[in-house]
Amino acid sequence: MHFGSGIPTVAVDALSPDDFLLDVRESDEWQAGHAEGALHIPMSDFVARFGELTEKAPEGGRINVICRSGGRSAQVTAYLVQQGLDAANVDGGMQTWEATGRPVVDGQGAPGTVI
């Protein structure tokens, strides 16, 4: 699947618990509910924190980028692809993640919700 103009996408149901997930939503969204194990780098901080991503992302592995519905993550995915990285936008974002029954936790690790 592709989002917009050739941006690689991946369906939520195609992701395994071992796949690397980058959440680019803002801190209030993250605190309310996120996928357990995801790396959180808000889109607003992304360029300044790019090195954090390259340190934590699996070498040679795909970076699956997620936001609330797919717009912000599509922009970050396009940037990563331009940098020569293997990246894919998670289709439907955290809204689809939650709707398909994938676990969502809050900032304290308790059950969370997507805002």
Side-chain angles (χ1 to χ4, degrees):
M1 293 191 311
H2 283 80
F3 180 93
S5 59
I7 296 173
T9 63
V10 61
V12 166
D13 61 1
L15 295 171
S16 77
D18 296 329
D19 286 328
F20 185 81
L21 191 64
L22 170 65
D23 191 321
V24 296
R25 296 175 301 145
E26 294 304 315
S27 293
D28 61 330
E29 296 171 286
W30 170 266
Q31 289 297 324
H34 59 271
E36 192 169 13
L39 173 63
H40 179 229
I41 302 177
M43 184 174 163
S44 59
D45 297 338
F46 190 74
V47 174
R49 294 177 58 189
F50 183 72
E52 185 178 333
L53 171 65
T54 58
E55 287 175 10
K56 296 184 178 178
E59 190 170 333
R62 186 173 65 196
I63 300 166
N64 299 289
V65 188
I66 197 165
C67 68
R68 183 173 185 266
S69 61
R72 289 172 284 180
S73 54
Q75 293 175 55
V76 172
T77 299
Y79 175 80
L80 293 173
V81 169
Q82 288 173 350
Q83 302 309 307
L85 298 171
D86 182 7
N89 186 31
V90 179
D91 192 29
M94 285 300 298
Q95 290 178 320
T96 299
W97 183 278
E98 184 177 48
T100 58
R102 294 284 183 116
V104 175
V105 297
D106 68 12
Q108 290 71 43
T113 189
V114 175
I115 61 170

